[in-house]
Amino acid sequence: MNNELALQTLDALRRVLGTNPQQLHEPSFEGNEWVYLKDCLDSGYVSSVGKYVDKFEKDLATYTGANYAVAVVNGTAALHIALKLSDVSQDDEVLIPALTFVATANAVTYCVAVPHFVDIEEKTLGIDANKLRQYLADITEQKSGQCVNKKTGRIIRALVPMHTFGHPSDLEGLISVCQEFNLNMVEDAAEAIGSYYKGQHVGTFGLFGTLSFNGNKTITTGGGGAILTNNEILAKKAKHLTTTAKISHKWEFRHDDIGFNYRMPNINAALGCAQLELLDSKLFSKRNLFSLYSDVFDQFSGIKLFQEPENCKSNYWLQTLILEEHESENLQKILESTNNSQIMTRPSWVLLNELKPFLDYPSMDLVVAKSLSSRIINIPSSSNLGNI
Ligand SMILES: *Cc1c(COP(=O)(O)O)cnc(C)c1O
């Protein structure tokens, strides 16, 4: 094995990043964060009521173009409730990509449902709609308007596209698969605030979309998430379920369902309001960082810098290098040389079907996901790195 590609990669990263140590993705607070947080402390409204929660929800709806946004404690909780309100219930199957963060599968299991892993495509890093259509035509049948897996006898209830590293999946293709096979679509847009598919913000195409505002995401509320939907009734149900299913009343504590304490606290929402004001400038910097990386990696052979799919505008949450197949044995060497030099790089997730809790769950053949998971390297992507 030769070290040459690893050395060249380190050198290229240094040309963009200089000699300082770099994290994979750091938050930055350059706006009204202190002002809004101080306002929360001064007013005493730090917890589950307060004006910033309402404002953040309105601002999110305005930004994404969704009719409604419900702010919650994290992106995983957002997915849990979105799936629950998409009728995902015990023993249903939910199609999810094999290459995603573990939260996507965890949320399915919180509904006592079964994750069913599907393959992805190299051009979007999201679910391959054509391969999925053929697979479903093979293994399912329609029974009274429901999609039944002939092998397991279970209903396949929903499909969860995930917009990997902020890059939109093939939404048109996936929507048509959902229509053909009677599946509900919930978009895991945790990584994709500020990303657009044919001019429309992702997370607004399905019955629900979900966002995450964890500390490593494009904008952060410390921890946090949101449920997006265009459906008024579903939005009200989402709000109700995430706020302990309490019936609104001046003093009475009456709950009409088993609810969840998933509401985003006011101080987190305050941070979110300030971060959302900065989102466009962060997106601008992230695009600029992409073009700085392009300048050095365009001349490379054996590695390419992943570019937003056609007809899409990506937020470029995490910048991504993809090794060509014949170079995949260099992945570990590149990870070693960069991390040893204080430039934080990371491989993609281990495929979920290979994780201990999910070994026994169904999956289609996952050749592309398997191949990509041995060739992806995320490189430092913080928005401040692209400042000009
Ligand atoms: C970040 C993330 C989530 C949600 O994460 P939380 O930490 O719960 O906010 C879900 N799915 C994907 C793909 C993610 O990257």
Side-chain angles (χ1 to χ4, degrees), residues 219-348:
I219 60 169
T220 185
T221 58
I227 303 166
L228 305 177
T229 182
N230 290 324
N231 181 308
E232 185 182 359
I233 294 168
L234 291 176
K236 284 191 173 138
K237 283 187 179 169
K239 189 74 187 177
H240 188 61
L241 269 189
T242 55
T243 53
T244 70
K246 183 181 176 300
I247 296 172
S248 174
H249 187 279
K250 275 189 182 148
W251 49 75
E252 194 177 64
F253 294 103
R254 189 179 295 276
H255 306 260
D256 66 354
D257 201 345
I258 296 179
F260 299 84
N261 182 14
Y262 279 176
R263 187 174 182 155
M264 178 182 281
N266 201 43
I267 45 173
N268 300 79
L271 205 49
C273 290
Q275 288 269 289
L276 205 48
E277 292 168 357
L278 300 172
L279 178 53
D280 283 337
S281 88
K282 287 181 195 295
L283 295 175
F284 183 82
S285 299
K286 290 169 94 56
R287 284 192 96 66
N288 189 52
L289 181 61
F290 171 77
S291 84
L292 295 174
Y293 278 137
S294 297
D295 290 343
V296 295
F297 284 107
D298 276 359
Q299 295 122 34
F300 261 64
S301 60
I303 294 189
K304 73 176 188 348
L305 181 68
F306 191 84
Q307 188 170 2
E308 63 197 349
E310 240 174 274
N311 297 317
C312 294
K313 185 159 188 200
S314 173
N315 67 1
Y316 283 105
W317 171 52
L318 288 187
Q319 309 284 346
T320 304
L321 297 176
I322 303 195
L323 300 183
E324 280 170 20
E325 267 170 46
H326 62 93
E327 298 287 6
S328 66
E329 77 273 15
N330 287 311
L331 182 89
Q332 296 302 324
K333 277 256 173 332
I334 296 173
L335 290 167
E336 254 170 52
S337 75
T338 48
N339 285 291
N340 288 344
S341 307
Q342 318 295 321
I343 292 183
M344 187 167 164
T345 59
R346 287 291 180 265
S348 71

